[in-house]
Amino acid sequence: MVGMSMQPYGIQSMLKEGYRHLSGLDEAVIKNIEACKELSTITRTSLGPNGMNKMVINHLDKLFVTSDAGTIVNELEIQHPAAKLLVLAAKAQQEEIGDGANLVISFAGELLQNAEELIRMGLHPSEIISGYTKAINKTVEILEQLVESGSQTMDVRNKDEVISRMRAAVASKQFGQEEIICSLVADACIQVCPKNPTNFNVDNVRVAKLLGGGLHNSCIVRGMVMKSDAVGSIKRMEKAKVAVFAGGVDTNATETKGTVLIHSAEQLENYAKTEEAKVEELIKAVAESGAKVIVSGGSIGEMALHFCERYKIMVLKISSKFELRRFCRTAGAVAHLKLSRPSPDDLGYVDSISVEEIGGVTVTIARNEEGGNSISTVVLRGSTDSILDDLERAVDDGVNTYKAMCRDSRIVPGAAATEIELAQRLKEYANAEIGLDKYAISKYAESFEFVPKTLADNSGLNAMEIIAALYTGHGSGNAKLGIDLEEGACKDVSETKVWDLFATKLFALKYASDAACTVLRVDQIIMAKPAGGPRRDAAAAAGAGAEED
Amino acid sequence: MSVRVLNPNAEVLNKSAALHMTINAAKGLQDVLKSNLGPKGTIKMLVGGSGDIKLTKDGNTLLKEMQIQNPTAIMIARTAVAQDDISGDGTTSTVIFIGELMKQSERCIDEGMHPRVLVDGFEIAKRATLLFLENFKTPVVMGDEADKEILKMVARTTLRTKLYEGLADQLTDIVVNSVLCIRKPEEAIDLFMVEIMHMRHKFDVDTRLVEGLVLDHGSRHPDMKRRAENCHILTCNVSLEYEKSEINAGFFYSNAEQREAMVTAERRSVDERVKKIIELKKKVCGENDNFVIINQKGIDPPSLDLLAREGIVALRRAKRRNMERLVLACGGEAVNSVDDLTPESLGWAGLVYEHVLGEEKYTFVEQVRNPNSCTILIKGPNDHTIAQIKDAVRDGLRSVKNTIEDECVVLGAGAFEVAARQHLINEVKKTVQGRAQLGVEAFANALLVVPKTLAENAGLDTQDVIISLTSEHDKGNVVGLNLMDGEPIDPQLAGIFDNYSVKRQLINAGPVIASQLLLVDEVIRAGRNMRKPTA
């Protein structure tokens, strides 16, 4: 009974075995900050046009070569809870704007790193949080003042204006090729832009990746590109009406199981005949309505196909429901559930629909030049799958930027000009502040310096010189002085034409500070025992090895 | 030992060992939850088995998510969760109050007191405190027009302990307005009539109150309208899809025409139902009117197609609760059969529209007349933010409901606890005979744990705070603690009010469970080792 008096004390004794409990500054806060710092050092080198690519191999052994932070953090499968908060913030940014995920993670990492210094100085996390909150509110205020005048309104159908806003976003993913990609994306987006630009739907710009050729062979198709062949032998149709059937092209069947009742051989023959006649009647009705192309969402019966061939109707099969809906939008058709005679209003129209072979892949291209410009496809060409994937991400970012500018067309100077201006003005604000918040606000301002620093570092320039030059320029009143990475000098962004969208910056900064404050607010972590399941250590180790590149 | 004789594997803790184990467990749990209390409390991060993150300041959530194994701790946790079930708030206070009672008792017991005497003292003190609470509470008149300011103050006090200030203040209005929206005279408030819907979108401060309903699904037909104004709404529970017969049936046919006939016959009954609805639509809808069907059962693609062609928006498989809410929000009545459809059974909404977020679809039913149901639409950039707001909103709603039902509030910011303690020490203790006095004293000191912890979490000096508060009370001023500067404030002026029922439950449940734990003198566990769980 000696041991009985030494009862375990504290929380650990109360939890189930396998649980971990971390609390206090050293154990929880500092550790969390360190994890977030690690994460941001990984993504940081990918920031900006000269950012490095990462090679990530995920748990399915799929290889990614990209500088897109959203993809990197997604595939890394972060385990650490605090770092995960940053990843979630980046994901939110990705969903909301579609660009700027790297800024979120890197900036949050920088904020936390500076917070750590403050904690070591003796500040309490809650004081840092209150300072950071003040700082972000002030930042939003300043950011609004930095908006380039005249950018509030834009013509979303003017290609030059669109490209000027899109370039920076695309260039950070595919530097040197941004002109080609921007032009493609801008064309595609402008084409599908609805009357009310705020209703622009990202889904209407499709990307078809076809191996072979190079970026220069890429083009825009006004319509859809499907990676499939036509079903019948008719492979080409011009200026054709289209009938769409969602439920398949075959004889009608009952829901309840049916049995054919046959008493004699004669009846059997008759049955086959009536069946045939029925199908012919249906197909004939379709043909008479003027349709020359049938698109089916389900199976296509042998017999039906036969009659389609006879009536010179081209048959396509699109089994994905969403793809079928998109096709309906392209052609302006109304999908029928069952095979029946379509009314003239329900028929769609395409300029041409043809099966072509590009780079060894058979594709069906449906073009609709005049009528409904509701879908456009960017056909990307590239030599390897990973290049294509990366191009696709650049295009996606471009399209998302277009969507964002349709909603809010305001722009701010890019190339770190905004960041330096923010840093400078926040510092002034911090100096005017009394109380402990002052330190946190000035650290927040300092955090902005990481953007020019990283941009310069990634381009092999001397970061310190650049930052000093930027500060001098901004101090003398030139709020638009940014880095020209090609010449390695400071230049006015209205010359280099590097603009960022206001909305991207705003959301990125807000999400980043939100995430940083959340990490700082946590002072205790209670971790459950990880649930069972297959171990993925091998894949994780491979991924960790790749990060070091 | 006797139990050992009966079962050699049983483990026994007796007398002081048992007592100390329970006391230690109670203190341990108190330590964990202590930092949660009050607006200056910190956040805990819970990481689930699959790596999912939850951030919380809510004692109830924490106790539920933490898998506690220690038997004493489980008992306390259950009491606290019961507290939450009954009054919706005060979980953290319950746990720390029990912990403090045990701590105070430990001191007395170490000095040689018998637990029984302490328990007697607790009982006396409890009754006295409850009596004191009755005199101390501030009555609020809840007539037909509720006093919105008081409700807001109560809601704000609760919300600020769960979320950061800016967001809490914003939610205060939302919570109060939503409860007033569903409040009907002469009826108990059913908080389920406030739908809480969340969207992963934008920022937490974009959370808003929708007067009407938000459904988390959309119409399933591509040709249906995404936005409709002046809508007649049919709330129904009618199956509009083909259903297989119960018995095993089959069709027999001998040529394709017969089969075609059967295909149509099979669908006839469903089609007829749809036609009846369409007829009603034609009857009630004018030029600019729209018709919306919200069905609890399914609608199959052919029916959807028919409805879409008539310009009717149809939503299928709505939640059962939403059917109730819809009727309250839009008027009309829920229909179970299409045979006796009348225009009177239709509800009305000014605007129905669909909002698409990535893969998710939401349907908003807004601009309704005289709503008796509403939706709190929570927005946030990620799941843990949403979950945090959700828990807070739930507690906020409860606190408003409690206030309306209690028709009174209690001054917060520790004012009640200090006042009750002074009352016990100065008045009650003198009337008690014998050693039970010490029990009363322990109880009184335990009450102080609330202002103490509040001060501790705000980074103030506990002793200074207690001294200044008690001396103010002795002068006859009822004061609470200002967490900003540690000075006494008048909670009435600062607008800090707690729920009466929460406090009552706290005073009731705390001593009961503490007494039970104190009277434990033997812990027996058969078979397994108590200290190190078997691997």
Side-chain angles (χ1 to χ4, degrees):
Chain A
M1 292 307 288
V2 187
M4 284 299 181
S5 57
M6 290 170 63
Q7 278 302 312
Y9 176 73
I11 174 77
Q12 198 66 57
S13 66
M14 267 177 272
L15 296 172
K16 253 192 185 162
E17 168 214 5
Y19 268 60
R20 278 196 294 154
H21 175 245
L22 308 168
S23 74
L25 268 186
D26 286 335
E27 220 180 318
V29 182
I30 300 285
K31 283 268 164 59
N32 284 344
I33 291 177
E34 262 160 28
C36 297
K37 259 163 55 188
E38 288 293 315
L39 180 67
S40 80
T41 29
I42 294 175
T43 58
R44 183 172 300 180
T45 52
S46 296
L47 190 78
N50 284 339
M52 304 301 252
N53 278 347
K54 308 277 170 199
M55 192 184 269
V56 184
I57 299 167
N58 72 356
H59 66 279
L60 298 170
D61 281 341
K62 189 168 188 286
L63 176 73
F64 291 86
V65 179
T66 181
S67 63
D68 183 49
T71 318
I72 298 172
V73 293
N74 243 340
E75 300 306 331
L76 274 180
E77 292 191 29
I78 306 289
Q79 289 292 335
H80 193 282
K84 219 165 169 179
L85 287 175
L86 257 56
V87 174
L88 288 173
K91 274 190 186 155
Q93 168 82 4
Q94 197 76 14
E95 277 170 26
E96 205 66 43
I97 305 283
D99 184 33
N102 203 341
L103 185 60
V104 174
I105 295 185
S106 310
F107 189 57
E110 189 70 20
L111 283 178
L112 287 170
Q113 184 166 1
N114 285 330
E116 187 187 347
E117 282 172 33
L118 290 171
I119 290 173
R120 295 210 191 281
M121 261 169 62
L123 244 66
H124 193 265
S126 66
E127 283 150 356
I128 302 176
I129 292 167
S130 99
Y132 276 9
T133 321
K134 271 192 188 160
I136 181 67
N137 291 339
K138 188 72 189 168
T139 306
V140 173
E141 216 173 279
I142 302 173
L143 200 61
E144 269 167 25
Q145 293 164 8
L146 291 181
V147 169
E148 179 71 3
S149 59
S151 69
Q152 285 85 349
T153 50
M154 73 172 282
D155 180 10
V156 289
R157 289 180 178 77
N158 182 329
K159 193 171 165 184
D160 289 336
E161 278 191 47
V162 170
I163 290 181
S164 76
R165 286 166 166 81
M166 197 184 285
R167 190 187 289 119
V170 176
S172 67
K173 304 291 178 297
Q174 292 291 330
F175 190 49
Q177 297 171 322
E178 72 264 23
E179 291 301 328
I180 305 169
I181 299 177
C182 276
S183 154
L184 283 173
V185 176
D187 271 340
C189 291
I190 292 169
Q191 189 209 320
V192 299
C193 185
K195 273 193 207 108
N196 180 359
T198 42
N199 289 341
F200 175 79
N201 186 351
V202 188
D203 199 41
N204 285 341
V205 177
R206 310 298 303 165
V207 176
K209 294 176 284 181
L210 296 170
L211 212 56
L215 185 62
H216 295 274
N217 302 86
S218 303
C219 61
I220 298 278
V221 172
R222 296 188 142 203
M224 276 177 77
V225 176
M226 291 156 280
K227 279 190 184 171
S228 62
D229 200 350
V231 182
S233 63
I234 303 162
K235 305 283 187 200
R236 198 170 178 80
M237 210 45 99
E238 302 269 338
K239 297 200 180 346
K241 287 197 173 157
V242 190
V244 182
F245 300 105
V249 176
D250 209 345
T251 50
N252 284 332
T254 50
E255 300 258 1
T256 315
K257 211 164 78 182
T259 313
V260 186
L261 207 59
I262 289 166
H263 298 291
S264 64
E266 212 171 298
Q267 273 185 345
L268 177 67
E269 207 174 312
N270 274 337
Y271 178 76
K273 271 189 191 148
T274 51
E275 188 93 309
E276 236 170 80
K278 197 77 212 170
V279 177
E280 183 170 8
E281 192 187 302
L282 285 169
I283 301 288
K284 202 174 158 199
V286 176
E288 274 168 3
S289 72
K292 285 186 184 159
V293 180
I294 289 182
V295 179
S296 159
S299 62
I300 296 157
E302 290 284 318
M303 189 115 66
L305 187 60
H306 165 78
F307 285 109
C308 288
E309 299 272 296
R310 183 185 281 178
Y311 286 100
K312 296 272 176 295
I313 294 177
M314 181 174 175
V315 183
L316 278 182
K317 185 180 162 185
I318 302 175
S319 36
S320 154
K321 198 165 77 180
F322 298 101
E323 196 79 356
L324 193 71
R325 278 193 195 157
R326 266 178 226 126
F327 187 86
C328 285
R329 284 212 297 273
T330 313
V334 177
H336 274 247
L337 217 54
K338 277 190 196 154
L339 188 59
S340 58
R341 185 194 170 105
S343 67
D345 293 345
D346 294 348
L347 285 180
Y349 173 82
V350 288
D351 280 323
S352 77
I353 184 160
S354 59
V355 179
E356 283 169 32
E357 200 179 293
I358 304 175
V361 188
T362 319
V363 291
T364 309
I365 302 177
R367 284 195 173 82
N368 197 354
E369 305 282 347
E370 310 150 13
N373 280 336
S374 50
I375 301 260
S376 69
T377 307
V378 180
V379 180
L380 286 178
R381 305 297 309 276
S383 45
T384 65
D385 278 331
S386 51
I387 289 182
L388 280 174
D389 286 343
D390 216 27
L391 283 175
E392 186 188 5
R393 281 191 282 273
V395 170
D396 279 349
D397 276 7
V399 176
N400 279 316
T401 315
Y402 185 79
K403 177 180 141 195
M405 77 175 83
C406 278
R407 294 191 179 158
D408 188 347
S409 65
R410 285 179 288 171
I411 47 176
V412 289
T418 308
E419 280 79 5
I420 287 294
E421 187 65 21
L422 283 172
Q424 193 164 8
R425 294 218 205 159
L426 268 181
K427 273 186 188 161
E428 285 164 21
Y429 173 65
N431 286 337
E433 188 77 16
I434 32 173
L436 286 172
D437 291 347
K438 187 183 187 139
Y439 298 102
I441 298 174
S442 80
K443 279 288 176 196
Y444 191 97
E446 244 171 63
S447 308
F448 281 113
E449 278 170 24
F450 97 96
V451 177
K453 183 168 175 292
T454 318
L455 285 179
D457 273 349
N458 289 349
S459 315
L461 304 172
N462 186 332
M464 282 304 135
E465 277 175 23
I466 297 269
I467 293 177
L470 283 174
Y471 267 126
T472 330
H474 281 262
S476 55
N478 187 356
K480 290 185 206 160
L481 196 70
I483 314 176
D484 183 354
L485 292 178
E486 277 164 41
E487 290 180 20
C490 298
K491 248 189 183 176
D492 196 315
V493 285
S494 28
E495 279 172 50
T496 50
K497 296 219 164 31
V498 185
W499 300 100
D500 285 333
L501 275 184
F502 170 74
T504 314
K505 273 262 140 79
L506 175 73
F507 274 88
L509 296 180
K510 272 182 115 175
Y511 279 136
S513 345
D514 243 25
C517 288
T518 314
V519 172
L520 288 174
R521 273 203 190 100
V522 173
D523 83 325
Q524 284 193 18
I525 311 177
I526 297 170
M527 289 171 88
K529 190 179 180 179
R535 302 278 292 169
R536 290 208 291 254
D537 277 357
E547 283 154 24
E548 287 161 16
D549 292 355
Chain B
M1 211 173 296
S2 53
V3 183
R4 282 289 169 93
V5 180
L6 299 173
N7 179 353
N9 288 328
E11 195 183 345
V12 187
L13 292 171
N14 66 354
K15 293 285 156 59
S16 68
L19 200 59
H20 278 109
M21 190 201 81
T22 46
I23 289 172
N24 276 345
K27 284 199 313 200
L29 204 60
Q30 182 195 11
D31 274 351
V32 179
L33 288 179
K34 206 161 72 178
S35 55
N36 277 359
L37 190 79
K40 294 269 176 178
T42 50
I43 300 187
K44 304 246 179 315
M45 182 191 251
L46 295 161
V47 184
S50 53
D52 47 316
I53 296 174
K54 196 155 194 184
L55 293 171
T56 188
K57 254 177 97 178
D58 185 31
N60 182 40
T61 320
L62 197 63
L63 288 176
K64 267 193 207 155
E65 301 281 324
M66 258 185 351
Q67 300 206 358
I68 300 170
Q69 267 205 326
N70 182 296
T72 318
I74 291 177
M75 270 177 80
I76 299 173
R78 281 201 192 131
T79 324
V81 171
Q83 161 94 21
D84 186 81
D85 286 343
I86 293 164
S87 54
D89 198 9
T91 357
T92 313
S93 323
T94 311
V95 171
I96 61 171
F97 182 48
I98 295 173
E100 193 63 22
L101 278 175
M102 300 298 280
K103 209 189 259 178
Q104 297 289 342
S105 316
E106 185 186 22
R107 224 180 56 206
C108 296
I109 290 167
D110 285 349
E111 285 166 8
M113 281 261 293
H114 192 273
R116 176 60 73 188
V117 184
L118 275 174
V119 170
D120 289 344
F122 281 1
E123 186 58 32
I124 297 166
K126 185 183 96 181
R127 261 184 275 139
T129 314
L130 285 173
L131 218 61
F132 178 72
L133 180 62
E134 290 302 322
N135 298 326
F136 190 79
K137 70 184 184 187
T138 319
V140 182
V141 184
M142 284 293 151
D144 290 339
E145 283 294 311
D147 185 351
K148 225 173 172 180
E149 285 311 308
I150 283 279
L151 293 181
K152 269 190 195 164
M153 285 178 209
V154 177
R156 189 180 302 129
T157 313
T158 308
L159 286 169
R160 279 207 184 167
T161 63
K162 318 280 172 198
L163 297 166
Y164 64 90
E165 216 174 290
L167 186 58
D169 288 355
Q170 195 195 347
L171 285 176
T172 306
D173 285 335
I174 295 178
V175 163
V176 172
N177 286 338
S178 62
V179 175
L180 290 180
C181 172
I182 60 161
R183 178 176 178 236
K184 286 194 242 173
E186 311 294 312
E187 266 179 62
I189 296 169
D190 184 1
L191 286 181
F192 279 120
M193 289 305 116
V194 180
E195 165 79 319
I196 297 175
M197 186 53 74
H198 62 87
M199 276 167 118
R200 221 169 67 198
H201 187 46
K202 290 192 179 166
F203 297 104
D204 42 13
V205 285
D206 292 307
T207 301
R208 68 187 181 103
L209 176 71
V210 177
E211 298 216 325
L213 207 61
V214 182
L215 307 160
D216 56 353
H217 50 128
S219 63
R220 298 298 298 265
H221 198 278
D223 294 338
M224 280 179 183
K225 282 187 189 161
R226 298 278 171 273
R227 187 186 174 87
E229 281 164 13
N230 298 329
C231 303
H232 295 275
I233 294 181
L234 175 66
T235 317
C236 56
N237 184 14
V238 179
S239 167
L240 292 177
E241 59 188 338
Y242 174 73
E243 277 167 29
K244 278 214 160 76
S245 54
E246 293 272 330
I247 42 163
N248 219 346
F251 281 146
F252 293 95
Y253 48 82
S254 50
N255 60 41
E257 247 138 58
Q258 282 178 3
R259 196 189 53 198
E260 290 291 308
M262 278 168 186
V263 170
T264 31
E266 194 179 58
R267 282 210 53 83
R268 192 179 299 140
S269 65
V270 179
D271 286 350
E272 263 167 17
R273 266 178 256 162
V274 176
K275 273 185 196 126
K276 275 194 184 138
I277 293 175
I278 293 175
E279 268 167 36
L280 180 72
K281 186 246 169 183
K282 284 184 178 151
K283 201 158 81 184
V284 297
C285 282
E287 193 68 4
N288 295 318
D289 292 4
N290 277 297
F291 199 85
V292 179
I293 300 174
I294 297 171
N295 195 358
Q296 193 182 337
K297 289 228 171 69
I299 307 177
D300 62 2
S303 306
L304 276 175
D305 210 52
L306 282 174
L307 293 168
R309 269 162 212 278
E310 288 296 325
I312 297 176
V313 181
L315 272 85
R316 63 181 183 190
R317 305 209 190 285
K319 281 189 289 188
R320 195 188 61 76
R321 271 243 161 77
N322 273 343
M323 308 305 285
E324 285 176 45
R325 292 183 187 129
L326 259 176
V327 172
L328 284 171
C330 315
E333 54 186 275
V335 180
N336 279 321
S337 146
V338 289
D339 293 334
D340 41 8
L341 280 179
T342 54
E344 285 75 49
S345 53
L346 295 177
W348 195 89
L351 179 64
V352 175
Y353 65 96
E354 196 178 292
H355 188 106
V356 185
L357 268 188
E359 306 274 288
E360 311 273 331
K361 275 183 177 178
Y362 297 88
T363 307
F364 287 70
V365 180
E366 277 193 80
Q367 297 178 11
V368 294
R369 296 169 184 151
N370 309 325
N372 278 319
S373 172
C374 57
T375 306
I376 296 178
L377 184 64
I378 297 173
K379 292 192 182 177
N382 34 45
D383 291 339
H384 56 82
T385 316
I386 293 172
Q388 209 182 341
I389 300 177
K390 225 179 196 169
D391 287 337
V393 164
R394 204 184 66 99
D395 287 356
L397 289 173
R398 294 287 292 269
S399 73
V400 176
K401 179 185 176 222
N402 286 342
T403 314
I404 294 179
E405 287 177 352
D406 293 346
E407 301 199 328
C408 57
V409 288
V410 180
L411 293 176
F416 166 71
E417 282 79 7
V418 179
R421 188 251 180 188
Q422 294 309 94
H423 172 74
L424 286 176
I425 296 283
N426 297 339
E427 318 273 332
V428 182
K429 202 178 136 189
K430 292 170 191 153
T431 62
V432 179
Q433 299 293 318
R435 285 185 299 169
Q437 270 196 4
L438 290 170
V440 176
E441 197 180 330
F443 187 96
N445 287 333
L447 277 173
L448 282 185
V449 72
V450 174
K452 262 187 202 163
T453 315
L454 284 176
E456 201 180 318
N457 288 344
L460 303 169
D461 189 291
T462 340
Q463 303 308 329
D464 278 355
V465 166
I466 295 300
I467 298 287
S468 73
L469 284 183
T470 45
S471 59
E472 280 293 320
H473 274 266
D474 284 342
K475 283 181 209 155
N477 304 329
V478 176
V479 289
L481 173 64
N482 185 347
L483 292 183
M484 298 299 158
D485 52 13
E487 296 299 317
I489 46 159
D490 184 357
Q492 188 120 32
L493 291 177
I496 306 171
F497 290 103
D498 282 332
N499 271 147
Y500 162 77
S501 51
V502 172
K503 286 275 183 269
R504 214 173 74 100
Q505 176 70 16
L506 175 72
I507 305 293
N508 251 324
V512 170
I513 196 83
S515 311
Q516 274 178 2
L517 290 175
L518 283 177
L519 293 179
V520 168
D521 76 335
E522 224 165 273
V523 179
I524 303 169
R525 183 189 254 177
R528 273 171 59 196
N529 190 325
M530 221 179 301
R531 266 163 296 146
K532 26 184 194 297
T534 44

